[in-house]
Amino acid sequence: MTWPATSPARRIRTGTVVRVYAAAGNLTSLTGWLNNTTAFTTNSDGRTASTTFANGVTTATTYDDAGLAKGITASTATATLAASSYTRDDNGTLASADTTGVSLVAWPAVS
């Protein structure tokens, strides 16, 4: 199937998986073999702003001026399930992470 150049979106069917792309080329949805759809939105910089899963959970990501994640929230229509916010040092290295509803895994130091 081909789409005219003026089409705002295109669909690509691969076996039993359907990927839908916006005119800008970013993935907007993915429907798997069990007919569950995951939807994606992007911000003006083309980064993933949100992902909505078939079970109704949505993750939303915010970014700092350097394009690094500064916050991620997982929620349903009625509740926030988990939230994380990040700060970075001047080099962009993660300096701290604050979380609600989730626990961080502490990795042992590498020697």
Side-chain angles (χ1 to χ4, degrees):
M1 173 183 298
T2 59
W3 292 83
T6 58
S7 173
R10 61 190 169 101
R11 293 172 67 95
I12 297 175
R13 184 175 294 275
T14 307
T16 56
V17 174
V18 177
R19 296 170 186 86
V20 179
Y21 294 85
N26 53 302
L27 183 66
T28 59
S29 70
L30 176 71
T31 303
W33 56 89
L34 295 176
N35 209 32
N36 293 322
T37 299
T38 300
F40 307 93
T41 64
T42 55
N43 65 18
S44 59
D45 293 325
R47 293 179 181 86
T48 301
S50 68
T51 303
T52 302
F53 300 93
N55 65 359
V57 173
T58 296
T59 60
T61 305
T62 56
Y63 300 89
D64 63 18
D65 292 338
L68 301 171
K70 69 176 184 179
I72 301 172
T73 303
S75 60
T76 64
T78 59
T80 298
L81 305 174
S84 298
S85 61
Y86 310 104
T87 59
R88 298 177 187 276
D89 65 18
D90 292 338
N91 295 318
T93 303
L94 186 63
S96 69
D98 295 318
T99 61
T100 302
V102 295
S103 60
L104 292 175
V105 175
W107 295 99
V110 177
S111 54

